[in-house]
Amino acid sequence: MAQPERPAQADAHADAAARLAAVAAEVGRAFIGSPDAVEVLLVALLARGHALIEGVPGVAKTTLARAFSRTIGASFGRIQFTPDLLPSDITGTFVFDMQKNAFVLRRGPIFAHVILADEINRAPAKTQSALLEAMQERQVTIEGETHPLDPPFLVLATQNPIEHEGTYPLPEAEMDRFLVKVALGYPGGESERRVLEVYSGEVEPVQPVLTAAEVLRLQALASDVRAERDVLDYILAIAQRTRRDPRIALGASPRAALGLLWAAKARALLRGRAYALPDDVKQLAPAVLAHRIMLGPNAELDGLKESDVLTELLLEVPVLRKQ
């Protein structure tokens, strides 16, 4: 059983949950869709991860990413990925300064706190690789010089899952850099009616709710959330089950299991708790693991999706309670 929280500790986590709820409410003014999608983005932010937003054209992928980024009062960079985009268009390059009579670094859009990588799968692998070092190590190397990226650093990438012409599939190594994947579908009837009502006229822009310093404080608070042994054992059981399931050709890696732990701790903070529960793990497992596993050919022929297999798998993995 989780240990009871001290009053001051409980107040800190309740205040954090209230601030994060304010972020979700502000995003909801512009993005009219599933609140679960906003929660998953908040999880990525708190866990110092990155998020991939996937959906067919016109389901508000970019609207969600932009609205979420604007709630954070920090620097913002937008990169529109195209087939002719070069790595230097992302990281920057050295240019000659006539006044200084020397080469100086002209920084690219990657030097921001929040990056919107729009239609990330439209750029070739060489350009996509410019993001790998930044996403994993929070730094970029330009002509042999390493430049750290200021925290917090969050990449929100969007992609279309059905369009193939002029696109380049993300390699597994890059997919693994995303802590979570958010799948956006068509809105329900009432939600789509609200879209028509809200966007029939001018919409007030989303306002900042958190500062960069507040984000760092919340990230530290999420990192300190306790995860008891039953939570760790449950994560391990899920990860190991993906490696044994005959429908899965490539199971979850240890880094995926660690990402699931970070995500569960972040969700606990969203709920105002200083301790993670197995339910936090269960709720986030599809978002954290679905894009990190690879189905076998028989499962694909049967029309199964990674999220479907994970949902069935979670029903079969018991929660191991502490004795």
Side-chain angles (χ1 to χ4, degrees), residues 132 135-136 170-178 255:
L132 293 181
M135 293 172 67
Q136 183 64 28
L170 302 186
E172 284 73 18
E174 187 170 358
M175 291 291 285
D176 197 44
R177 296 302 195 276
F178 290 101
R255 178 160 55 186

Side-chain angles (χ1 to χ4, degrees), residues 28 64 77 80 119 125 128 136 139 162 180 193 205 221 257 308:
L64 172 59
Q80 182 64 54
E119 297 184 294
Q128 290 180 16
Q136 183 64 28
Q139 65 180 32
I162 62 170
V180 295
R193 182 188 299 276
L221 206 57
D308 298 330

Side-chain angles (χ1 to χ4, degrees), residues 54-57 83 119-124 128 159-170 300:
E54 186 177 84
V56 298
E119 297 184 294
I120 188 173
N121 57 335
R122 287 197 172 277
Q128 290 180 16
Q159 73 169 3
N160 179 351
I162 62 170
E163 195 169 11
H164 300 292
E165 186 173 349
T167 63
Y168 303 82
L170 302 186
E300 291 183 343

Side-chain angles (χ1 to χ4, degrees), residues 31-34 37 53-61 182-188 192:
F31 172 71
I32 301 169
S34 172
I53 305 172
E54 186 177 84
V56 298
V59 293
K61 299 184 299 295
V182 181
L184 294 184
Y186 290 113
E192 195 160 7

Side-chain angles (χ1 to χ4, degrees), residues 261-301:
L261 172 61
W262 294 336
K265 293 169 73 171
R267 186 177 186 271
L269 183 61
L270 284 171
R271 297 294 188 276
R273 288 186 268 108
Y275 53 89
L277 296 174
D279 186 60
D280 297 319
V281 176
K282 187 173 184 178
Q283 294 299 320
L284 289 171
V288 176
L289 300 181
H291 61 291
R292 286 183 158 105
I293 65 174
M294 184 183 299
L295 296 183
N298 291 335
E300 291 183 343
L301 287 174

